[in-house]
Amino acid sequence: MQTKIFYIDENSLELSKQIILDGGAVAFPTETVYGLGANAFDTAAVENIFKIKGRPNDNPLIVHVHSDYDISTLVEYVPDYAIKLKKAFLPGPLTMVYKSKGNVSKAVSCGLDTLAVRIPAHEGAQKFLKYVGLPIAAPSANISKHVSPVTAEHVYSDLDGKIPLILDGGKCCGGIESTVLDCTGEIPVVLRSGLVTREMIAQIVGQCDQYVLKDGERARSPGMKYKHYSPRCATMLYRFDGREDAVKQYNKSIADGVKAYILCDDKTAKLINAENILNLGTTEEQIASNLYLKLREGEKVAQLIIAIIPEKQDGVMAGVVNRLTKACKN
Ligand code: TXA
Ligand code: MG
């Protein structure tokens, strides 16, 4: 199959609609990462997404809809706090999990009785979702376990020959996946950290929990248990206060002839002495936005990426630390 990359216009939108209606998959931009979308009502199309990615079949997908879509056709009950959060943050990088009405294919939620719904803010995503007019089940548009794609070229390098069309909406500005928030209980619970932070949610509705997977427990967000977001080279991970050990490891690797790079934020880069640096930038937003870009850049030039976790760990950095830890898990 030939994979085409087109900018988003009337022609490419028409083509994307035909592909989706025929049960195919289309990659599209969002403000977080690129998604790989299929008609959420079409079981074969949804199952095909799992096959294309090599995704474990117990890791459910998020359904994407445009801003005017009536989600009461998809989910049972939207609690008051969720209505407030929708007003505050949507469209945007926040995915909300509700009790499902069971109207979309069962393959979307992998048999769970809940449904994750996301209304992306990206203009190109909105155009695509409006043009197609259907709820679109979409994971990130990468091969399973690889770093999520933040450019059309990243999608192409993972999925060339496997999908017919990539809608090119430029670089995703957010850079890490949406916050996944469980809205089925009394208070909201963050299942996956992202750009809409636990602190931001608590500010609107008073309370917000953070789900922590305990050993042996069945994950509430099944994606949590997998190795993820990993570059195709060796990785090592150090805490901020272990940065001198990271530099020692770097020097040893270089002396052994291993092409090593240190991945860290600008603050850390200024504190250490190493030539090969993948610099994530200064502000929290920059660091999130550059994370996957630099991991993908790194895997092209490095045999070993030595990542140093930023000092700050709350707010947006909670999502960054979570992704970095999983990317460098052995
Ligand atoms: O920013 C994003 O969320 C991107 C873009 C494309 O929208 N999508 C994305 O999808 O990251 P994916 O499939 O890579 O991650 C979906 C996450 C997984 O951790 C999955 O376990 C969780 O959402 N999830 C999906 N449905 C769920 C449900 N019903 N209950 C709990 N967690 C769910
Ligand atoms: Mg993913």
Side-chain angles (χ1 to χ4, degrees), residues 28 30 32-36 53 55 58-62 64 93 95 97-98 108-109 112 114-116 118 120 138-142 148 176-180 191-192 220-224 228-229:
F28 63 100
T30 79
T32 57
V33 302
Y34 275 73
L36 179 62
K53 282 189 56 124
R55 182 180 177 101
D58 65 348
N59 190 10
L61 305 182
I62 296 169
H64 297 64
T95 296
V97 176
Y98 303 104
V108 172
S109 291
L112 298 176
T114 52
L115 185 68
R118 163 146 150 73
S140 49
N142 52 283
S148 299
I176 59 170
E177 299 82 353
S178 63
T179 307
V180 177
L191 300 178
R192 178 177 73 183
R220 254 161 84 181
S221 189
M224 294 179 82
H228 254 126
Y229 324 115

Side-chain angles (χ1 to χ4, degrees), residues 197-216:
T197 66
R198 180 184 179 185
E199 294 83 349
M200 286 158 72
I201 293 165
Q203 212 165 49
I204 304 289
V205 296
Q207 268 175 299
C208 179
D209 276 349
Q210 172 79 48
Y211 180 67
V212 184
L213 179 62
K214 296 185 198 83
D215 274 353

